[in-house]
Amino acid sequence: MDEQNSTSTQGALLALLALVLLAALTGCGIGRASNQERVSKTATSYLRALASGDTSKACAQLTRRARGDVCAATTKERLSRLQPDTLTRAADGSIDIAVHGNTATAGLSEPKGARFVLTKVDGEWLIASGYTLTAAVASPALTKQQYQAMLTSANARIQTTETGAEKLGFARHASHARAAAALERWADAEATNARILAAANPPAATREANALLVSAERLEAAELQHLARIVRTSPGAGHVMQIAQRTMTPRAGAPLDHAIAQLHTLGYR
């Protein structure tokens, strides 16, 4: 009888211990990481890799477009302009994270005003822009009027090339070569806007919106370049609009809508 009670007591204690361990593990965050946690992990991994000089690991945190063809060499050159202590403090400091669908921004504690824009690629969050960490400190912040002028110019650049594509490239009897050229000009305008906005130091209140605009412009440029290649290399695939409907998977809409909404709230047009 005593032996049975002892066995029962041991079983109860083991079950209780298992419950306590499970509760402890759950409380420590064991389980599927949230998007914010994965964004934070990518950002801090990149910063720590830079601080330790591990260019391979740093490059692994970037999207394919951000890495380019010579990521290790360019990252090594970039390190000469950054202080390891600053990078470590940034990795240890707070990170202001905002997730918008498959795009996220991560604001760093330092360098002052530095911010990453990340994109979700095959379930993994990778840094798409802001990885140079220099745009925010390269020049004095723009005034509201200066930034509005930049936005107006960027919008005009897109309207001109988009209208040209619609009139010349999307016309009913337009050749595929002509349509592809019009799409490439449009893509170049989107890419140009992305470069200009990425290099700008906008007013502090607009930094998140600006980062989202950069991401949207790059996504749109990539989509248009992809469509142009198909149009140019597949003359028998049908009219350009039909090809677009079959092949394009617009991803720029969400970050663009968020950016515009934020800018309108701040009084920008």
Side-chain angles (χ1 to χ4, degrees), residues 83-173:
Q83 295 296 323
D85 289 347
T86 299
L87 296 167
T88 300
R89 287 195 300 271
D92 292 338
S94 62
I95 299 180
D96 183 16
I97 296 172
V99 178
H100 307 283
N102 289 329
T103 303
T105 57
L108 308 181
S109 59
E110 58 179 293
K112 185 177 180 180
R115 184 178 298 272
F116 295 144
V117 174
L118 298 93
T119 302
K120 200 172 188 180
V121 182
D122 296 331
E124 183 180 5
W125 286 99
L126 298 174
I127 299 170
S129 66
Y131 49 88
T132 60
L133 297 175
T134 57
V137 295
S139 59
L142 298 173
T143 64
K144 183 173 182 177
Q145 292 75 16
Q146 290 171 330
Y147 188 59
Q148 177 64 72
M150 181 177 291
L151 293 176
T152 301
S153 177
N155 187 52
R157 187 178 293 109
I158 297 303
Q159 285 186 341
T160 298
T161 53
E162 182 178 359
T163 300
E166 290 174 350
K167 288 183 178 180
L168 300 176
F170 295 175
R172 183 178 297 275
H173 301 294

Side-chain angles (χ1 to χ4, degrees), residues 8 32 40 91 95 112 184 195 242:
S8 298
R32 187 175 183 180
S40 178
I95 299 180
K112 185 177 180 180
E184 287 163 351
R195 287 193 298 272
Q242 296 173 323

Side-chain angles (χ1 to χ4, degrees), residues 39-51 54 57-58 61 91:
V39 167
S40 178
K41 181 179 179 181
T42 297
T44 54
S45 293
Y46 180 71
L47 292 167
R48 294 191 192 285
L50 289 180
D54 189 343
K57 186 173 182 179
Q61 312 308 314

